[in-house]
Amino acid sequence: MHKLSRWMPQAPPKRVIPMSIILLAALVVVLVCLAISITAFVVATGLILLVALLGVYDRLRLRRLAERRPGESICTFARSFDRRAVDPWVIRAVYEEFHAYFGGTLPVRAADRIEEDLRMDWEDVDDLLGEVALRSGRSLERSESNPFYGQVRNVGDLVLFLMYQPKRGAA
């Protein structure tokens, strides 16, 4: 008998670069540019400020999105799937990885479009997909033959994509 998904092993903690190291690196870049020329200093400072402002804007956007989802959790996410047809381990692994990706602040929905709503880069999605497959016991081999290959647009599609992937160790 398959263990309940709540007994799934926890994901290993992600290594996060402390903000102080990022700020120190930015300061070094600015000082080096200042030593080179005033133009390089102005350009580097402008780029660093632009990246910082975009980061603040994105955090505010995600906070507003999360505020529009009060009371939503993994239970809400799981109810959007047919529980007899979809492996609960896949559901839990997808939810937990996406939730962790957003710092544990955004309740993810199956209908969330990966590019438009979540504004995720597909390389990040591929990284998450590897983690999800590992945690849910799925293999990513022969994914080209998956009917959802190239059709993943939202988080729910990603769950269904993984459902059509073979279990690890299964032939």
Side-chain angles (χ1 to χ4, degrees):
M1 180 165 172
H2 199 51
K3 290 190 323 187
L4 297 174
S5 68
R6 67 176 164 256
W7 299 114
M8 175 186 294
Q10 292 295 316
K14 309 277 190 262
R15 282 194 65 206
V16 178
I17 300 172
M19 187 55 77
S20 58
I21 292 176
I22 294 171
L23 290 174
L24 181 63
L27 179 64
V28 168
V29 168
V30 167
L31 292 176
V32 167
C33 289
L34 182 59
I36 296 172
S37 76
I38 194 70
T39 305
F41 170 76
V42 170
V43 169
T45 303
L47 288 174
I48 290 170
L49 287 174
L50 178 65
V51 168
L53 287 173
L54 289 173
V56 168
Y57 170 75
D58 198 51
R59 275 194 299 269
L60 288 173
R61 181 188 67 80
L62 289 173
R63 184 182 305 148
R64 283 193 304 271
L65 186 60
E67 287 171 355
R68 291 193 303 260
R69 300 174 178 191
E72 291 189 27
S73 66
I74 188 170
C75 299
T76 313
F77 181 74
R79 281 197 282 298
S80 59
F81 298 96
D82 178 3
R83 65 183 183 164
R84 288 179 214 88
V86 181
D87 183 355
W89 280 53
V90 172
I91 293 171
R92 180 174 293 275
V94 168
Y95 183 86
E96 287 180 353
E97 289 296 325
F98 272 82
H99 191 64
Y101 178 85
F102 293 107
T105 59
L106 180 66
V108 182
R109 291 179 177 168
D112 282 339
R113 297 171 298 174
I114 291 172
E115 284 182 302
E116 295 87 352
D117 299 331
L118 302 178
R119 295 189 185 156
M120 291 181 69
D121 185 74
W122 285 104
E123 289 180 14
D124 292 340
V125 175
D126 285 342
D127 292 342
L128 285 180
L129 184 62
E131 293 292 322
V132 169
L134 184 66
R135 290 189 63 212
S136 63
R138 299 288 171 158
S139 169
L140 292 177
E141 293 177 12
R142 301 187 307 270
S143 60
E144 295 83 13
S145 62
N146 188 315
F148 282 89
Y149 183 79
Q151 305 299 317
V152 174
R153 302 287 179 258
N154 60 41
V155 179
D157 292 342
L158 193 65
V159 170
L160 296 176
F161 172 84
L162 280 164
M163 279 303 302
Y164 282 93
Q165 286 299 114
K167 291 186 177 180
R168 269 184 299 168

